[in-house]
Amino acid sequence: MPRRRTGPSSDAGELLQTLGDLTGRILEGIKLQQARVELAAALQRQVLSAELPVLAGLQVAGRYAPARDGLDIGGDWYDGFLMPDGSVGFAIGDVQGHDVEAAALMGQVRTCLRAVAVATTDPAEVLQRTNDLLVAMDSGLFVTCSFLRFDPATNELAGGRAGHVPTVWVTGDGHCDIVLDDGGLPLGIYPGESYPSTRRVLSDVGAFVLLTDGVVEGPGYPIEEGLAQVANLAVGACRTDPEELAARVIKVADLTGHSDDAAALVIRYGGLQQWQDEG
């Protein structure tokens, strides 16, 4: 006698229902993660596409490259903006990690720096107040950062560093230096941290190259070698268009293994005294 085919048991039906629910939740999670990534990528594009300030005798260019592995977003950024007292601020930084959370915090740090610079333009105070804000936010991530202030009235460049990569400085006579000014801890670790500032009066022609560690450091590639590579490129900075130099500098990251995202900011100055006299 042929066997009668029966429907699935109640246990099997419950199992199928559970699998269906789990599949639905997984798909919803994937869509949510995709939305978060797209939002973070849009935020990073907006930050990095912001127009850098243009001043007489000063040319600025920036570049960004995502890590080779993982998402095409991260926590590295650069920025430049005019401040209320007529000076201009430049920042470059690196939020721990290269994921959605890092990109989101990067946007917040950039906003904090700009907001604090309305109240004070001194790099040491800008970093100190931004640090205290980030500690209060308790994001669990830390941020390395360099902040510079250029005063076109005096040609003074003041800078502060929060656990960040040294800056490469080249002058018109071909002298190149890796600037190891004193700094403080990365932002967002301890409240009340102080950040020393250094002041220089710029003259003649020269350039500063600001970097994140993704440009000059990687697995099996020491930071000293990366900085030396950038310094070699920067020697001709005074005769090279800043856009071209920034493009060359960011390619140094290819030598490091590119395990982290990378950013570079080139600030070239020249004819500053002439512009001051004419003003």
Side-chain angles (χ1 to χ4, degrees):
M1 185 174 69
R3 294 184 179 179
R4 188 174 181 182
R5 188 174 293 183
T6 60
S9 66
S10 58
D11 289 344
E14 290 177 3
L15 178 59
L16 289 174
Q17 180 64 45
T18 300
L19 288 173
D21 292 342
L22 288 174
T23 301
R25 292 175 189 174
I26 290 172
L27 290 174
E28 288 178 3
I30 291 173
K31 290 179 181 179
L32 177 60
Q33 179 64 12
Q34 288 176 337
R36 293 176 70 218
V37 170
E38 290 172 3
L39 181 61
L43 169 64
Q44 188 158 49
R45 285 195 300 270
Q46 182 181 26
V47 167
L48 296 175
S49 66
E51 188 173 339
L52 294 169
V54 177
L55 293 178
L58 207 67
Q59 295 176 291
V60 189
R63 286 291 188 279
Y64 170 81
R68 285 180 175 173
D69 298 326
L71 305 174
D72 285 340
I73 54 176
D76 287 18
W77 90 97
Y78 57 81
D79 195 16
F81 54 95
L82 295 174
M83 296 191 284
D85 64 356
S87 63
V88 60
F90 296 105
I92 190 166
D94 180 1
V95 177
Q96 177 189 7
H98 44 276
D99 52 18
V100 173
E101 286 70 24
L105 184 59
M106 173 270 295
Q108 293 175 316
V109 175
R110 176 179 178 268
T111 300
C112 285
L113 286 167
R114 284 183 170 234
V116 169
V118 173
T120 176
T121 59
D122 177 67
E125 291 189 22
V126 170
L127 291 176
Q128 183 177 12
R129 296 188 186 190
T130 302
N131 173 67
D132 289 343
L133 284 171
L134 294 179
V135 171
M137 289 165 56
D138 194 22
S139 70
L141 300 176
F142 65 82
V143 185
T144 69
C145 178
S146 287
F147 184 82
L148 304 180
R149 171 189 182 266
F150 176 70
D151 185 350
T154 62
N155 294 339
E156 181 185 78
L157 183 75
R161 190 161 62 101
H164 200 69
V165 178
T167 297
V168 175
W169 181 23
V170 60
T171 56
D173 59 5
H175 178 72
C176 190
D177 189 23
I178 296 172
V179 182
L180 293 170
D181 292 336
D182 291 339
L185 291 174
L187 306 175
I189 297 179
Y190 294 118
E193 179 70 8
S194 61
Y195 298 90
S197 61
T198 303
R199 301 177 185 276
R200 297 177 175 87
V201 176
L202 305 182
S203 61
D204 300 324
V205 180
F208 289 88
V209 183
L210 285 70
L211 312 156
T212 60
D213 60 2
V215 179
V216 292
E217 187 178 31
Y221 196 89
I223 189 172
E224 292 81 9
E225 289 188 26
L227 287 170
Q229 288 283 347
V230 173
N232 289 335
L233 291 172
V235 168
C238 301
R239 298 181 301 276
T240 305
D241 179 77
E243 293 284 352
E244 182 180 345
L245 177 58
R248 291 179 183 176
V249 167
I250 202 68
K251 288 183 179 179
V252 175
D254 293 336
L255 303 174
T256 69
H258 221 325
S259 61
D260 196 2
D261 49 334
L265 184 66
V266 176
I267 305 170
R268 192 179 76 174
Y269 60 92
L272 295 173
Q273 188 61 46
Q274 175 187 351
W275 287 107
Q276 188 181 47
D277 293 343
E278 292 178 356

